[in-house]
Amino acid sequence: MTAINLPLVRRLTGKLSGIPLRIQITAMCCSFVVVVSLVTWIIVSRSQEQVIQFEALKLADIVVNQAASARSAYSSLAVSKLKADGLGASEFSADQPGHIPLPAQFLKDLSFRSQQDNNGLFSFRPISKWNLAPEHGIRNKFQEWAWEQLESQNRRAPETPLEWTPVWRISEDEQGKVLRYLTADPAASPSCVNCHNALEKRADVIAKRIASGVKPGNQWQLHELLGAIEITIPLDRVAALAREQTRDGLLIVLGITIIGVCGVCFIVFYDVARTHAATEKLAFHANHDSLTGLPNRFALESTLNELVMENEEQARGESATLVFLDLDNFKQINDTLGHETGDKVLTMGANRIAQAVAADGFVARLGGDEFAVVLPGKSVEQVNAIAGQIADSIIQPYEVEGYKLSLGVSIGAALFPENAHSTSELLRCADVAMYTAKNGPLTFAWYDPASDTNAVSNLVMKDELREAIENDTLDVHYQPKYCLNTGRMTGVEALARWHSPSAGFVPPDVFISLAEHVGLINDLTSLILNNAASQCQRWRQMGFDLTVSVNLSAMNLHDGTLPTLISNCLSTTGLPASALILEVTEGTVMTDIERACEVLSQVRSLGVTFSVDDYGAGYSSLSYLNKLPVSELKLDRAFITHVGSSEKDAVIVRATLELARNLGLTMVAEGVEDAAALDFLCSIHCDQVQGYFLCRPLPAHELERRLPYIHRFSPVALHDSGSGQASDLSSEEIPRDKAA
């Protein structure tokens, strides 16, 4: 089997690669480790900050309680004992034998020694707004703020001890982050109150208060704020220690996580490695034909879908040609020699197609004996050449099991995006082209939209035409016919007009052919016939003695229901049978002349008149004129257009007029476009004329408005007043519309 080395094939066969999956898993595992570590670090760090803060506050409470307990013990044991012995405590204890420092002095010394002994873990000291020692006064913003917070809790003359709430703040200084904690040290005993009140009355203390800018003579009551104890705890040392512990813990967690992730990666990689081969095999079989090894229909549709997507995403997408191939006579080989032999022939044929296409395109087997080739970016000439190479290789003999077999091939091609804009439509177009080749004399055929009776546009138009017939939305225009001898309008020809919602104006030959193909012709004929008969009867009731001509299809002419259709129409509309003229062409009659004669005779028995339309354009056999019950002959416009300048056309017109008169028929010259043609027809005394020079086809309401002006005319006056150009009889009323 010849390999088709196309990058496009490799992209669309659905192969899975293990490397990208492994990289993806590795990236996910690494991301997992990073995320877990980061989240753990954030959670632990925040938790540690809260723990450190909590423990620092707890330590501050302990220090305050221990300091208060130490001073209380000092007061109750030492000071009370000395007082009982007649000595006591004094601020000047150093100069007085038998005296000890005051409890406040004891607390100050305790704080100094404690700071030396705890290696800087914490420090505390008593402070007071009323302290006479500068180092124990209020000296910084925190102390000022904290003292105000404590003072706000003070109460005048409290009956019971107050519940003081400590105040604290974590701040940055030159030593780093520290916790500053201040708790109240109130006047807890009457002796303290008395001592301090007596102190404030001394002359030297009053002088110091005035010198410090503090109002002297303050007198305290029991349980009022007298002083405070400040605790300072540096947090950076504790935080550093906590970070070290956190780092060690995180390293342990990270190590365990990495080991777990490595285990998962190993399991996943092992599973990927184990299933990679099976996955590739499944992907290959999902996108390839098991017999020939070529890509299958699924791979083909994927290729075409990619082309369609590229065409939509880019302003100018890549063009491509889709080629369908069907092996001729393969079924006979299969039925005669068996499927095993047939499979060998198919495999050989697939190899030949692949070799003929080589690296120029994408070859796929659709099923059975059908193949497809995608040729991107190839010109029409290149596609023709490749199709020829495929056909030449296929028709070469096949030697299988001693038999020498031969095959033919039918090839069809469709262009993207010229013929189709979707995958399904392109497949359908190529299939239509292939069957065109199979049913025609040539091996290869291009898709032709004009011959595609199943095109999407035709399907849409079919539904629109059916809806137009059901809703009576088709227009009927009427073109007058005139008698040259009397200058009087003798009748009108009804002409159907249709504007499709999707295609706009559709020529009559197109939508009539479509109606015949989809089985709507009888409904269409009935609609036009009834509308035309009703309108003609209206004009006759207005005083205009007119006939109306309606064209029949070949299918109408060979349908046995036509007599009933005509009878119902005349009965419904009230139009006299003599006022209805049915026009048939030579081609419709000659298809089955015996059947046509039978149907026409039945209709003629109703009193309806028949006219042969476009006489001379078809078979022009004189024999059917004797067989058919016709009363009127309409000479084709091809002989009238140049009758004023062509002697041969003039001879034909004269001869046809003579023939009609000899057969007792009325001759109508259609397609009168200028004064020269009208002048010639007047000179030979033609019976009736019809054409744009006299009046174009008009809608019913427009023709009705003009009838009083154009019902009669003078051929001589019209010729004398004209310039040889087509001039609608009502041109003085409404300008001539030159549209067909």
Side-chain angles (χ1 to χ4, degrees):
M1 177 67 62
T2 301
I4 303 174
N5 186 18
L6 282 177
L8 183 62
V9 178
R10 292 196 297 269
R11 291 200 306 271
L12 296 169
T13 51
K15 288 185 177 181
L16 298 176
S17 176
I19 296 177
L21 179 60
R22 293 174 182 175
I23 293 176
Q24 183 179 9
I25 294 174
T26 303
M28 291 175 61
C29 292
C30 293
S31 300
F32 175 76
V33 172
V34 172
V35 170
V36 168
S37 301
L38 183 60
V39 172
T40 304
W41 176 266
I42 293 173
I43 293 175
V44 171
S45 298
R46 291 184 177 180
S47 300
Q48 283 182 343
E49 290 180 0
Q50 295 176 356
V51 170
I52 291 172
Q53 177 179 305
F54 174 78
E55 294 296 334
L57 290 174
K58 188 163 67 172
L59 176 61
D61 286 336
I62 293 173
V63 172
V64 168
N65 292 332
Q66 291 296 324
S69 297
R71 183 177 62 180
S72 177
Y74 174 80
S75 298
S76 61
L77 295 178
V79 176
S80 299
K81 175 67 170 60
L82 287 176
K83 282 185 177 182
D85 295 341
L87 298 174
S90 171
E91 61 178 318
F92 306 110
S93 60
D95 300 327
Q96 296 180 5
H99 284 73
I100 60 176
L102 295 172
Q105 292 174 318
F106 168 77
L107 187 60
K108 293 176 184 178
D109 187 64
L110 180 64
S111 68
F112 176 75
R113 297 196 180 191
S114 174
Q115 188 172 358
Q116 292 178 333
D117 296 338
N118 63 31
N119 196 25
L121 182 62
F122 66 88
S123 64
F124 80 92
R125 63 176 180 172
I127 65 171
S128 176
K129 177 181 178 182
W130 312 102
N131 208 309
L132 298 177
E135 67 273 13
H136 295 288
I138 297 177
R139 299 185 301 171
N140 55 52
K141 292 183 179 180
F142 168 74
Q143 293 173 351
E144 293 174 358
W145 169 80
W147 185 268
E148 290 179 358
Q149 299 298 316
L150 292 178
E151 272 192 330
S152 65
Q153 302 178 46
N154 205 356
R155 300 290 184 272
R156 299 300 296 177
E159 297 178 357
T160 57
L162 297 177
E163 291 293 335
W164 298 89
T165 301
V167 292
W168 58 274
R169 180 182 290 175
I170 295 177
S171 59
E172 295 277 353
D173 59 12
E174 64 277 1
Q175 298 179 354
K177 185 180 295 185
V178 295
L179 172 68
R180 299 187 184 278
Y181 180 96
L182 197 68
T183 185
D185 187 14
S189 65
S191 60
C192 291
V193 173
N194 295 333
C195 179
H196 282 278
N197 286 343
L199 186 66
E200 291 296 326
K201 294 178 181 180
R202 285 170 34 187
D204 60 328
V205 173
I206 293 174
K208 288 183 179 181
R209 294 284 185 239
I210 295 174
S212 301
V214 178
K215 184 178 179 181
N218 188 64
Q219 297 295 297
W220 284 271
Q221 295 184 10
L222 190 62
H223 306 312
E224 285 187 329
L225 179 64
L226 179 63
I229 298 178
E230 180 186 27
I231 310 297
T232 302
I233 302 177
L235 301 180
D236 285 349
R237 290 179 58 189
V238 180
L241 179 62
R243 281 195 297 270
E244 292 180 2
Q245 295 176 346
T246 301
R247 182 186 58 200
D248 295 340
L250 284 177
L251 289 176
I252 296 174
V253 173
L254 183 61
I256 296 174
T257 304
I258 291 176
I259 293 174
V261 169
C262 290
V264 173
C265 291
F266 175 78
I267 294 173
V268 172
F269 288 168
Y270 174 77
D271 184 67
V272 170
R274 187 184 64 176
T275 59
H276 181 62
T279 302
E280 284 192 335
K281 186 176 181 180
L282 290 174
F284 181 85
H285 286 301
N287 292 275
H288 288 77
D289 176 53
S290 59
L291 177 64
T292 63
L294 291 174
N296 56 17
R297 177 181 285 272
F298 178 77
L300 173 67
E301 292 179 351
S302 299
T303 302
L304 297 178
N305 287 335
E306 183 172 282
L307 288 173
V308 172
M309 291 178 62
E310 289 179 356
N311 186 68
E312 293 177 350
E313 293 173 356
Q314 302 176 9
R316 295 181 61 186
E318 183 182 21
S319 61
T321 303
L322 176 62
V323 179
F324 263 31
L325 302 95
D326 182 79
L327 302 181
D328 299 334
N329 305 325
F330 175 75
K331 186 177 184 302
Q332 183 179 0
I333 294 175
N334 233 8
D335 295 341
T336 304
L337 301 178
H339 290 281
E340 184 177 352
T341 302
D343 289 345
K344 292 180 180 179
V345 173
L346 270 180
T347 303
M348 296 172 66
N351 287 335
R352 294 184 182 185
I353 296 172
Q355 290 174 354
V357 175
D360 292 328
F362 172 81
V363 180
R365 183 194 177 197
L366 302 182
D369 57 355
E370 291 186 343
F371 297 84
V373 180
V374 179
L375 300 172
K378 300 296 181 182
S379 64
V380 173
E381 293 76 13
Q382 290 173 321
V383 174
N384 288 335
I386 294 174
Q389 295 172 6
I390 294 174
D392 291 340
S393 64
I394 290 296
I395 63 177
Q396 299 301 318
Y398 297 80
E399 295 185 3
V400 181
E401 298 180 356
Y403 297 100
K404 203 168 189 178
L405 308 173
S406 62
L407 291 176
V409 64
S410 298
I411 306 174
L415 291 170
F416 174 85
E418 288 82 354
N419 297 142
H421 294 277
S422 65
T423 298
S424 59
E425 183 65 10
L426 185 62
L427 291 169
R428 194 192 66 80
C429 291
D431 192 48
V432 169
M434 186 266 290
Y435 277 101
T436 300
K438 184 177 287 290
N439 297 326
L442 301 178
T443 301
F444 176 69
W446 285 92
Y447 173 73
D448 182 10
S451 61
D452 186 1
T453 58
N454 294 317
V456 174
S457 57
N458 285 345
L459 293 176
V460 174
M461 287 179 58
K462 177 192 72 173
D463 293 335
E464 293 176 346
L465 181 59
R466 176 180 286 106
E467 184 176 351
I469 294 173
E470 291 175 353
N471 298 332
D472 192 8
T473 56
L474 277 84
D475 296 326
V476 181
H477 289 198
Y478 300 89
Q479 186 174 33
K481 296 192 298 183
Y482 290 92
C483 176
L484 288 181
N485 291 331
T486 63
R488 183 176 65 85
M489 183 190 299
T490 60
V492 293
E493 180 181 0
L495 301 169
R497 297 289 185 264
W498 181 43
H499 283 266
S500 164
S502 62
F505 177 76
V506 182
D509 57 336
V510 174
F511 73 79
I512 290 175
S513 175
L514 178 62
E516 292 176 338
H517 180 71
V518 299
L520 295 174
I521 189 61
N522 285 340
D523 296 333
L524 177 61
T525 302
S526 176
L527 176 66
I528 302 303
L529 187 63
N530 282 280
N531 286 347
S534 298
Q535 190 61 56
C536 183
Q537 179 63 7
R538 170 182 168 82
W539 289 330
R540 291 173 67 88
Q541 291 173 351
M542 292 171 59
F544 300 101
D545 187 14
L546 300 176
T547 62
V548 63
S549 300
V550 178
N551 292 276
L552 294 182
S553 163
M555 297 183 70
N556 296 137
L557 196 60
H558 300 91
D559 188 351
T561 63
L562 182 63
T564 303
L565 177 64
I566 300 299
S567 176
N568 293 337
C569 174
L570 297 176
S571 175
T572 302
T573 61
L575 182 71
S578 59
L580 178 61
I581 301 175
L582 300 177
E583 296 188 5
V584 296
T585 61
E586 295 175 280
T588 59
V589 173
M590 296 304 292
T591 303
D592 187 352
I593 190 170
E594 294 183 0
R595 177 61 175 165
C597 289
E598 179 183 352
V599 174
L600 291 179
S601 297
Q602 295 177 12
V603 177
R604 184 69 180 87
S605 64
L606 300 175
V608 175
T609 303
F610 280 96
S611 174
V612 177
D613 193 17
D614 298 334
Y615 180 78
Y619 295 95
S620 298
S621 173
L622 300 179
S623 62
Y624 76 85
L625 293 178
N626 285 328
K627 297 180 181 180
L628 297 178
V630 297
S631 302
E632 184 178 271
L633 200 64
K634 295 186 73 172
L635 187 60
D636 188 71
R637 66 179 63 246
F639 302 107
I640 306 300
T641 303
H642 305 291
V643 71
S645 58
S646 173
E647 184 61 30
K648 291 183 179 180
D649 286 347
V651 171
I652 293 175
V653 173
R654 288 193 187 96
T656 304
L657 177 61
E658 187 68 22
L659 173 65
R661 286 176 176 169
N662 290 335
L663 294 176
L665 305 177
T666 299
M667 191 183 95
V668 180
E670 57 180 347
V672 178
E673 299 289 341
D674 51 38
L678 181 62
D679 184 52
F680 173 79
L681 294 172
C682 288
S683 67
I684 64 173
H685 304 289
C686 181
D687 298 323
Q688 295 182 21
V689 292
Q690 177 183 351
Y692 264 53
F693 186 70
L694 302 168
C695 186
R696 71 182 189 277
L698 297 172
H701 65 89
E702 183 67 19
L703 182 60
E704 185 172 305
R705 190 178 71 84
R706 295 188 184 193
L707 269 177
Y709 306 100
I710 65 176
H711 184 250
R712 290 181 178 273
F713 82 102
S714 171
V716 176
L718 182 63
H719 173 68
D720 292 342
S721 63
S723 60
Q725 301 297 324
S727 57
D728 195 329
L729 284 174
S730 57
S731 59
E732 70 280 4
E733 297 291 326
I734 297 177
R736 182 181 190 274
D737 179 6
K738 294 186 179 182

